[in-house]
Every structure is written in C-alpha cells, then in structure tokens.
Amino acid sequence: DAGVIQSPRHEVTEMGQEVTLRCKPISGHDYLFWYRQTMMRGLELLIYFNNNVPIDDSGMPEDRFSAKMPNASFSTLKIQPSEPRDSAVYFCASSLGSVWNNQPQHFGDGTRLSIL
Amino acid sequence: DAKTTQPNSMESNEEEPVHLPCNHSTISGTDYIHWYRQLPSQGPEYVIHGLTSNVNNRMASLAIAEDRKSSTLILHRATLRDAAVYYCILSPTSGTYKYIFGTGTRLKVLA
C-alpha cells in the first residue's frame, strides 16, 4: 500500500518567492498533519485537519504560512513570501480515527526546503 | 501539555538488547505513551504505544511503570538498521489531538 506521498522531495528557491508543498495522505485516513523540523527547534506541529477541516493551526508561525485541504486526498502548505529562516524539512502525516482510538500517525519522507 | 525527558544519546552493541528510558512525571491518567523513531533522511516511524499495561509487537516491547511516570522501550536484539532517533511522546485523549516531540534519544548501534 502507498504511504503518505509528499512532493517535491527537495526545493531550493530564492527569498521572496512563493513555495507550495504538497501532500497526499493514505487513502481512508481522516486526519492530516503538517510538521516542520529544524536543528534548532526539532519537530513541531504546524497545523492539523480532520475530515478536510483545519482543527488546530496554533503552530503556524505567521501569516506567511497557509495550509489547505480541498479534498480528502490532497493538502498543500504554502509560504508566501518565503524567507531564509523558513528553511527546514517539512513533513506531512496522516492517521485514521479520532483521538479516542489513538491511532498512530504515518509520516511521509518530507520536503527539504532551502530558501536562499 | 505533559512533557517527556529522554537521554540525548545511547550506544548499544549489535545483537544485544537495548533499553531506552523515558520519564513523564506529569502524565495524566488518560495520556497514551507513544514511541516513534526517525531514521536518517526519513520521516518518523511508529514503533509502539500503550496506556497502562506492557505491550509487545514485532518491532519492540514497551514497559510502563506502575505509576506511569516512566516507561522503557525495549529492542530485544539491536541491529545496525535500528540506529535512529527515538521519540517518546504523550498523546492526550481529550482536547486537541497533537503530538509534542522532544529532542529524543539518538541510538548508535556498534557492529
């Protein structure tokens, strides 16, 4: 079975450009999570969705970041305008079931983003 | 949010058991204990989770202290492929559904 699919795997762009990261969750999963990982701050949750609806976006660093989930099989994380401090590895994860079921999260391989 | 404390790094010889400790003294009665690991250049991977009783699966065992203030992930025979960062995470069963990843334990396996 296909896992969580993220694209692109690597992105290098100049400061000020718009960046769009994409994620396809595991089919049938109803929760989707976006994380960011840096050496300084470790792995941080940015936002998560349930049934395509954003539930908690308290981890989104600022208004330059936005995330959407137009349908159950696709989500995007957009940064506009991008800044060098946004350089990080961005992970998408999905899971099946509610917190009451305590199902594990399945992570993609991440997008390594470098802003020059 | 309840936090966890883990050693920064540990070493083990190949084919020997490894015990990775985690302290979570502020755990609430309904928090699950999850373990994930992250291999180099990959996303975190689920290992095991439990609530009160010890748990076993094909990857590892989870031993939970009676007072639930600590737990231990046990790899029965470490292999070179087990070299990774291991994260102990508390997952609340009420409120917002989110993980808080700490710094984890970097496990080095020696051949």
Side-chain angles (χ1 to χ4, degrees):
Chain A
D1 290 340
V4 174
I5 300 172
Q6 293 187 244
S7 64
R9 287 298 311 276
H10 302 273
E11 174 88 13
V12 180
T13 191
E14 293 188 345
M15 182 175 64
Q17 296 298 306
E18 179 178 289
V19 173
T20 300
L21 311 181
R22 297 172 177 80
C23 175
K24 178 179 171 56
I26 293 173
S27 178
H29 282 191
D30 55 350
Y31 280 81
L32 184 138
F33 307 82
W34 282 101
Y35 289 86
R36 177 174 69 175
Q37 186 171 36
T38 61
M39 290 293 292
M40 291 296 294
R41 300 176 65 89
L43 201 60
E44 307 172 279
L45 176 68
L46 300 178
I47 185 171
Y48 78 90
F49 296 81
N50 176 219
N51 291 324
N52 313 337
V53 177
I55 303 300
D56 186 340
D57 65 353
S58 60
M60 296 285 265
E62 48 196 277
D63 292 344
R64 297 184 298 106
F65 286 70
S66 63
K68 294 182 180 180
M69 192 165 185
N71 57 61
S73 59
F74 183 66
S75 177
T76 59
L77 178 67
K78 188 171 293 187
I79 308 172
Q80 168 61 21
S82 58
E83 296 183 4
R85 60 192 168 122
D86 302 330
S87 298
V89 181
Y90 290 80
F91 291 102
C92 177
S94 70
S95 70
L96 174 64
S98 71
V99 60
W100 309 108
N101 296 328
N102 231 270
Q103 294 298 307
Q105 295 182 20
H106 300 261
F107 285 77
D109 286 334
T111 294
R112 184 173 296 276
L113 177 64
S114 296
I115 309 297
L116 307 177
Chain B
D1 295 322
K3 294 183 179 179
T4 62
T5 304
Q6 300 176 252
N8 287 333
S9 63
M10 293 183 64
E11 283 189 0
S12 173
N13 293 319
E14 196 175 12
E15 299 196 4
E16 289 187 355
V18 182
H19 291 234
L20 298 166
C22 181
N23 287 321
H24 29 78
S25 58
T26 60
I27 190 171
S28 74
T30 54
D31 285 345
Y32 276 84
I33 302 159
H34 288 250
W35 284 82
Y36 283 73
R37 71 179 185 181
Q38 187 173 19
L39 280 66
S41 301
Q42 293 186 23
E45 173 189 29
Y46 168 79
V47 178
I48 199 167
H49 78 281
L51 184 61
T52 56
S53 303
N54 294 343
V55 183
N56 300 296
N57 66 21
R58 62 175 181 82
M59 291 181 69
S61 295
L62 175 60
I64 301 173
E66 194 169 334
D67 63 5
R68 299 202 337 118
K69 294 184 184 299
S70 65
S71 61
T72 302
L73 179 70
I74 302 166
L75 307 179
H76 296 286
R77 291 182 64 208
T79 70
L80 297 178
R81 290 175 296 177
D82 291 323
V85 178
Y86 287 79
Y87 296 99
C88 169
I89 303 160
L90 300 183
S91 175
T93 55
S94 62
T96 186
Y97 180 24
K98 60 194 294 185
Y99 289 160
I100 298 176
F101 284 81
T103 55
T105 296
R106 182 173 297 277
L107 176 65
K108 186 175 180 179
V109 180
L110 305 175

